[in-house]
Structures are given as C-alpha cells and as structure tokens.
Amino acid sequence: MKNVKILHLPLLFLFVHACFAQADFAPYFFDNGPYSHNGNLALFSLSEDTAVGTQIYCLNGTDPEGQKVRYGLSFDPGSKEYFRVDPESGNITLVEKLDREKQDSIDVLVSITDGQSKVVERVTIFVMDANDEKPEFQNMPAIIDVVETTESGSSIYKAQAVDKDTGSGGSVTYFLQNPQSSLFAIDRHSGVLRIKSGEMLDYEKTKTHFVTVIAKDGGGTFNGKEQFLSSSATLTINVIDAQDTPPSFIGTPYFAYVYEVSGPGSEIFSVNAKDGDVGNPNPIRYSFDDGDDGVFSINRTSGLITLLTLPIHLKREIFNIKVRASEVSPEGRLMDYSLTTVVIRVVDLNNNPPTFYGENGQQNMFELTMYEHPPEGEILRGLKITVNDSDQGANAKFNLRLIGPGRMLRVVPQTVLNEAQVTILVEDSAAMDYEKHHFLTYKLLAVEIDTPERFSATADIVIHLLDTNDNAPKFSSDYYIARIPENSPGGSNVVSVTAIDPDSGPWGEVKYSIYGSGADLFLIHPESGIIYSQPWASLDAEVRSKYNFYVKAEDAEGKYSLAEVFVTVLDLNDHPPAFNDNFLEKTMVIGAPVKIQAVDDDAEVPNNVIEYAIMKAEPDNNIFDIDADTGEIVLKSYIKSMAIIQNITKQRDCTWSLLVQARDRGQPSFSTTAVVKIDITEATQLKGGPLGSFLLQNRNKPLQILGMLAGVISLMVVVTVIISTAIFMRNKKSNRILPNRRVRRRPRKQQTWNFKNPFKEPETPGVKFIVEEEEREPEVVVENANYNNNVSTAVRHWPPPPPPCAPCLPPPPPPYIPGERQWVVPTGSTVVAPKPKKKPVITRQDTVNKALVSELKMRLEQKRNNSFT
C-alpha cells in the first residue's frame, strides 16, 4: 500500500498545477497607508500651494500571475481634471492649480490592468490648506457718527474680517495703524473699537477722525515659507456736536477809550462772543456783571457799549467792566455763560499830530549848504528845527527818525514828550562825498508811540554839499607801455596818458609833467597828456633802446599821482655791416683759418646778424671756403701743402685776393664788401720749445707777444733788485761792501739784422731774407772776482772801488759811444741782459707774420751766441 501511495503523489501534484494554470487572477494595488507616496492613493492629501507640474504620487500594484500591469486615472464626468498618470510607471503629476477655498477634496478613479483583467478603485484626495488668503473686511470701510459727549471707554464700532484659510492662517487679529496718536483703541480679538480710557471727543477741536484698522492672520506656510498676511480698511468717525461748550469772546483783551469830546449815547466799544458748540450754536445774550457804575450800557444782542453821560461827570479815569455772554436755549432759558473784562480809559482826545517849526513858524522843508566831509559828531547848526505835539500825556509822546541814504546823519533826541529842539549830527563823514552826492535829501519823521491813531508828521531836509579838493588825480593805469620806431622824427607821438580828478572846478583840472632819468628825450602836453619825442631828439636803438620815466598828474593845489612809462625804441635795419678796412691783408698758414670780422651797429637781431660769403677770388676761385656765421676763411680740405697751391696757380707767388661780402639779415638787407689779400705760407717747426710754440700760436697777435716779453723783462728786473738789496743788507751788517764783479767793455763786432718782406719777390730766387751788417755794439766781458774762476776769458779793466759806507748805486755806465748798444750790468747777477736802446719801428706795410719774424730772430741770436763761445 505504501508503494502505491508514493507512486500516486506526483500525479496529484501535476493535477493541482494544471488546475491553477488554467485560472486568471486580477491585478491589485498595494495599500501602503495614508502617509505613503506610492500605492493606491488611499487617504492621500496634498497642499494647495503645490506647484503645477509636480510629481505627487506613484501608483503601485502587481499581478498575481506576474503579468505586466498598466495604470489609469479618471474623474467623474464634468469634474476638473487635476492630475495625469503615466500608465507605465504609475507616476501622477499635478496639472491644474489647487485652491482649497474652492474645492477641498477631489474624487479620483484609479485603475490597474494586466491586459485581461482591470481593477478600478474610487479614492478621495484631500486638499490641505496653505496660508494664501488675506483677511477680508466684511463691514469696512465705513462711516459712523459719534456724539462728542460719548463717555470714555465706550464701544463705538465692531470691525469684522474673515480669512478663508484654516488653522492659524484663518485666525484674525485687529490693530490700529497709529495707536499712540489716536483717541481710539481696538480689541485685537473681537475687533471692537472703543474710545480710549481718559480721552474724550471734542467737536470744537476735531470734527472728523479717520481710523485705519489692520486685520492680520495668524500666519502659516506658503510655498515652504512662513508668511503672515494682512489687510487694512478705514473707518471715518464724524463727531456730532453737543451743547457742552460755553460761549467764548473774540478779540480779547478789550480796551476802549472815552475822549473829551464824547457825549451821551456815544459808542464806546463792541464785544463779540460765539457759542463754543459751533455745530449747533445757540444765540448769545450780553449783560454787565460789575464795574459799569451806571454810566455805561450794553446792547443785549449786539454787545455794543455806549456812554450814558458826559465825560466830565465820570469819576474814574479807568473802568474795568465785567461783561457776561450767556447762551439762550430754544426755550429762552439762559444756559452756559462766559465772562470777560473791558477796560475803558478816559483820556484826552488825541486830535493834534506832531508838528515841525522853523524860525518863522510851522515849516516842513529845511535846507542847508555845507562843505563835504564835515567832522564826525559835528552839529548841523544851520538847521533850526523844533517839533511839538499839543496833546497831553501819552498822546504827546512820539519818536523821531531820520530816513535817507546811508547812515550819514543821526537825529537827537529820538523820543520826545510834547516839544523838543531837533539836533542833526554827522555820523559818517566819509560818505558825505560831493563826488557821489551833490545834495542829500532826508525825511525827518515824527510818529506817536502809545496812541491808537499813531499820528505822524514829516519834514524834508535838503543838504547841498559844496566840493573840496579831497581827491588826487588818478591815472587810468599804473604804468604805460609804448613802442616807437627808431629814427622817428622829433615831435612824434609816443603814448597818451589819462588821469581823472573827480573834483570840480579848478581842483578837477589836471596838469601833466614827466621826470626821471629817461625823460630827457621826451615831453608831454600838460593838458592832453600826450607824450611826444623832443623836436631835437634822435632815437637810436643802437644807442639806447629802453627808456622809463614817471609821469605826474597834478591838480591846482598840488595833489598828484604818478604812473610809470616804459618806452621801447624799435630797432630798424639802418646800419650796413662794416669791415675795419675795405682792404685787409692776412697771412694764412696752411691748416689754420684766417678770420675776418664785420660789425653791424644795429641793436637787435636779425638786423645785426651777419652772413659772410666769398664773391670772387683771384687767381683761382675754388680753393677757399668761408664760414657764413663766423667769417673764418679756410683752404679747401684737399690742400695740404704749398706744392698743391703752386700746382693750381702755376706760379710761385702764393698771394690771393678775395672779394668778401658781409650781409645782414634785416629787412631790407644791407651788405658791404672788402678785399682781403691773403699770403699763404707753410708752418715752420720752431726750435724754441714752449716759447717757440707760443710765438707760433700767437703769430697774429703782436700785442700779446710784446706783453709777454715785457712781463718777463719786468720779472727779471724785480728779481735783480731783490737780490741786490739782500746782498747790500748783508754787507752792511759786516760794515763792508766787497766788489762782486768788475765789468770791462771792449768793442766787438756784432751782426745785426734787417727784415724784408719774405713774400715779396727776392732779388735772387729762393732768398727771402737778407741779413745786413749794422753798427757794432760793444762787447761786455764780466769777471767774477768773488767766486771760482769759472769764466776763463774774463779780464779786469778797472781796479775794485773802495767799499762804500752807505748804500750806493751800481757803477756808472761807460760813456756813450754813438752807434753802439748800451748794456746794463746789475751788481747781483752773473748774467747780463741786453737792453735795446730803442724799439724797432714796424710799419703798416710790413705785414710779415710775427711768428716767422720771431723764429728768424731766435735763429740769429743762436748763431751769435755760438760765435761768442
């Protein structure tokens, strides 16, 4: 039996499985509860502020057979479709804006199908509130009337506002916009508006009040943020007047006067009162309470006070009358009242205004003639003014004022009672200027002080000012600048000066004069101020181009002012350039320039700027260049030796004649020419060392060479004298003087030299200088007696002189021998310096270069010294 059962179990399983495979079960939703976002939407809620397009839920279900399911969502016919579902995923999206206040729940049909079976379920989605609604007033704005007598703390209105939101967002509290300045208060929960405790309405102060009530909700979330919403409305409160204010007098305090001319029935004063309840006023009735003494009466309805008797019967000067103003009810009953005081003064009638008097009675015009600038504080004694008011007491009290230009004058006294003598004082002397005001007009004003009429009187004061010489002439400028061309004829107009003296008459007449170091060549018209050049004056810019001097403007009494005049003489091109000589002779050493110079006596550039040019050159026109600015003439750069020049000229004579032009740059331009004769030679190397170089460098400056030689000779003489004096003083101390030397003269032949122009044609070609024999000079032989005999050829000719007992002069020179050169032998030197008897005379025509002469001179001197040795 067991084996049979076991064999039949698999067969049973296959049978059951076949039965189940043939059945089709429907799909179903998962029910995940109300707080889940997936399932079947059961008990799902959604806030109304959810944004359109938001995925709010996911339908979720399954099929028992594991088939793929699809989802669906639909609404009842006529209902608004708020959602859309994705059939594949089951995601539900919000497609319409939610508004809980319009629809707080939404019925939805959700379905699930596996393709064969479909399950549909009805679910309800609850729309949750968000704080998106403001409170709305139900009974405002509004206008109400409140009687001003309403008691403090009374309720006068209840504001009602509704918020459609739920929860805290739907609760409403009330506030006033300006609670501190308002007479009202509101209950924040009920909205009841009351008059504040301790406050009262007053129609007479404010007839209408405007109260702004704010309704505010309790707040709530909206779009994820906490927000509070509020709204406002205005309540207009009209205050209704009530009979609660007594009458009030208008225009108090009250003062009235009884004058001497008043009579019975005269109107003295009117009082005026109004009911304080201006919204519904009652009529007013007037009456006296006290103080009228039976001499005054008052009209009951108009308030007019009148006099009942003559002023002479009044026993008091001042009456203080109490006047009552009472309200009259419609029934004729007297109600609230007010009191005021009317002060009535019995006074003299102010019927006389102030009056001005002169020497001849009443007068309202006073005139005075005086000089300008009187001393400050001076009394204008020419004005005899009296002022008077014939009234009495306060009616006769008045002020005096002086009205006019500036504050030049002052009136004394300033307050007058009845009558006073008027005094006018000078307060600002400088302002009383004839040049500004020929006459001054003032108003003298008298005005009563304490009278209601304020009577016044005026008098005209006219002061005629006489001129004084209080101004000096004044130039239109502190300095004048003039320009005049040179060579202008005498009497030419240079400049015109102007000075004005504001004084009148002779004091305003100006006389002109000039002075100063630069005024000699000019004169001025004493009346017109025109400055001319002197008739004999010749203005030359080359002599002087700037002049300055002073011009003086003086009035009749000697008051004056000065101005400075600057005159510039404009240079004209009136001088041509000029050479020192129209024929110039120059010696040019190859490689060194020769400079010529012309002078233009004009004073200014470009008139005195000179340009040089070579116009013509003979025998050849193309071997020289000239610097246009400096006038330096140089050989062309390719000429380096005399041989080149001789090849150009084909002659041995190297003498050129140049026609050089000097032209200025003025307008018009002037020029001049000069012939420059140039002898060209080569530089010879001197053997004199630095002295020779110096002579060669200064060969064109003979004066400088002579000055140098004179300085050397002078230095030698000074040294000789010093040495001689020192030796003499030494010998004097030993009381003896020993002869140092003995000088012997003997004739000796000596060659002298004559110079001929080396640039002239010599008698024998190649010989330019000839040395001729001249008269012989004596030879001087010096013997040294006190030192070693280092001069072997020295011979004594005289015995030594006796020692002198006093300083003595050097030995006398030997007798003069005509034709011989004299030699001076000092006593303190072993070197003899020859002193020529006379200077050689150099004529103008001898244009030999001084450097070459000096060189030849030195060579001959060397030959002579060699012959001596």
Side-chain angles (χ1 to χ4, degrees), residues 391-609:
D391 291 320
Q392 300 297 321
N395 292 338
K397 188 176 181 180
F398 53 91
N399 286 336
L400 288 177
R401 286 188 296 170
L402 197 60
I403 303 174
R407 296 183 179 180
M408 306 178 199
L409 303 177
R410 180 166 56 92
V411 63
V412 175
Q414 294 184 351
T415 303
V416 180
L417 183 62
N418 289 116
E419 184 175 313
Q421 184 72 32
V422 179
T423 301
I424 307 296
L425 301 176
V426 176
E427 189 163 302
D428 188 353
S429 175
M432 299 182 68
D433 191 352
Y434 174 82
E435 286 72 33
K436 296 180 180 178
H437 313 280
H438 288 3
F439 61 89
L440 302 173
T441 301
Y442 283 86
K443 289 283 188 182
L444 183 58
L445 178 63
V447 182
E448 292 180 349
I449 302 174
D450 297 327
T451 63
E453 295 82 9
R454 303 279 291 179
F455 287 138
S456 63
T458 58
D460 293 326
I461 298 177
V462 180
I463 299 175
H464 299 274
L465 295 178
L466 300 177
D467 193 21
T468 60
N469 189 21
D470 59 332
N471 294 284
K474 185 176 181 180
F475 282 97
S476 59
S477 177
D478 293 334
Y479 59 90
Y480 296 87
I481 298 175
R483 297 175 178 85
I484 183 172
E486 65 175 344
N487 300 332
S488 297
S492 297
N493 189 337
V494 178
V495 68
S496 178
V497 299
T498 303
I500 298 176
D501 192 329
D503 293 320
S504 61
W507 296 319
E509 297 176 359
V510 180
K511 300 292 184 183
Y512 299 95
S513 60
I514 59 175
Y515 68 94
S517 60
D520 299 338
L521 299 181
F522 304 93
L523 57 86
I524 188 170
H525 193 283
E527 295 180 356
S528 66
I530 300 176
I531 299 176
Y532 304 90
S533 60
Q534 292 280 7
W536 47 265
S538 177
L539 300 176
D540 192 347
E542 290 75 34
V543 177
R544 185 175 179 181
S545 62
K546 302 290 184 182
Y547 297 87
N548 69 293
F549 49 86
Y550 291 95
V551 58
K552 180 180 180 181
E554 188 175 10
D555 63 15
E557 289 189 351
K559 291 188 175 182
Y560 68 91
S561 62
L562 300 176
E564 193 167 3
V565 179
F566 299 89
V567 180
T568 300
V569 180
L570 302 176
D571 183 41
L572 299 179
N573 192 22
D574 56 348
H575 290 85
F579 291 99
N580 293 335
D581 197 344
N582 291 333
F583 182 80
L584 303 175
E585 292 184 341
K586 298 289 183 178
T587 300
M588 175 181 285
V589 177
I590 293 178
V594 171
K595 184 175 182 179
I596 62 173
Q597 186 174 9
V599 178
D600 193 317
D601 292 333
D602 286 316
E604 299 177 0
V605 296
N607 297 336
N608 59 3
V609 177

Side-chain angles (χ1 to χ4, degrees), residues 224-509:
K225 295 182 180 179
E226 185 79 10
Q227 80 170 4
F228 295 85
L229 300 177
S230 63
S231 59
S232 62
T234 301
L235 178 65
T236 303
I237 302 173
N238 294 324
V239 181
I240 304 301
D241 190 23
Q243 295 297 327
D244 60 343
T245 304
S248 60
F249 286 93
I250 299 173
T252 57
Y254 294 137
F255 297 94
Y257 300 90
V258 175
Y259 299 103
E260 56 184 347
V261 295
S262 301
S266 298
E267 297 179 356
I268 305 301
F269 195 75
S270 290
V271 296
N272 186 16
K274 290 185 177 181
D275 187 356
D277 303 311
V278 296
N280 185 21
N282 289 324
I284 305 298
R285 181 174 296 176
Y286 302 96
S287 61
F288 287 144
D289 262 20
D290 187 22
D292 61 309
D293 290 354
V295 296
F296 298 97
S297 65
I298 187 170
N299 188 289
R300 297 178 62 186
T301 57
S302 65
L304 177 63
I305 300 175
T306 56
L307 181 64
L308 299 178
T309 184
L310 292 174
I312 58 175
H313 301 305
L314 300 178
K315 298 180 180 180
R316 289 190 292 173
E317 183 180 355
I318 298 176
F319 292 85
N320 293 313
I321 302 175
K322 297 290 185 180
V323 178
R324 173 181 292 198
S326 303
E327 292 184 33
V328 180
S329 67
E331 295 82 13
R333 180 172 53 87
L334 296 180
M335 300 174 62
D336 285 347
Y337 65 90
S338 295
L339 295 175
T340 189
T341 300
V342 179
V343 179
I344 299 177
R345 181 185 296 273
V346 180
V347 296
D348 177 38
L349 182 64
N350 186 24
N351 53 359
N352 294 296
T355 307
F356 292 99
Y357 297 90
E359 294 179 336
N360 300 320
Q362 186 174 347
Q363 187 175 340
N364 58 3
M365 170 69 77
F366 299 89
E367 293 187 81
L368 175 66
T369 301
M370 61 183 296
Y371 285 104
E372 64 177 340
H373 304 306
E376 292 185 0
E378 179 177 335
I379 299 175
L380 305 187
R381 302 186 183 278
L383 296 175
K384 306 293 184 180
I385 306 174
T386 303
V387 63
N388 174 269
D389 191 324
S390 300
D391 291 320
Q392 300 297 321
N395 292 338
K397 188 176 181 180
F398 53 91
N399 286 336
L400 288 177
R401 286 188 296 170
L402 197 60
I403 303 174
R407 296 183 179 180
M408 306 178 199
L409 303 177
R410 180 166 56 92
V411 63
V412 175
Q414 294 184 351
T415 303
V416 180
L417 183 62
N418 289 116
E419 184 175 313
Q421 184 72 32
V422 179
T423 301
I424 307 296
L425 301 176
V426 176
E427 189 163 302
D428 188 353
S429 175
M432 299 182 68
D433 191 352
Y434 174 82
E435 286 72 33
K436 296 180 180 178
H437 313 280
H438 288 3
F439 61 89
L440 302 173
T441 301
Y442 283 86
K443 289 283 188 182
L444 183 58
L445 178 63
V447 182
E448 292 180 349
I449 302 174
D450 297 327
T451 63
E453 295 82 9
R454 303 279 291 179
F455 287 138
S456 63
T458 58
D460 293 326
I461 298 177
V462 180
I463 299 175
H464 299 274
L465 295 178
L466 300 177
D467 193 21
T468 60
N469 189 21
D470 59 332
N471 294 284
K474 185 176 181 180
F475 282 97
S476 59
S477 177
D478 293 334
Y479 59 90
Y480 296 87
I481 298 175
R483 297 175 178 85
I484 183 172
E486 65 175 344
N487 300 332
S488 297
S492 297
N493 189 337
V494 178
V495 68
S496 178
V497 299
T498 303
I500 298 176
D501 192 329
D503 293 320
S504 61
W507 296 319
E509 297 176 359

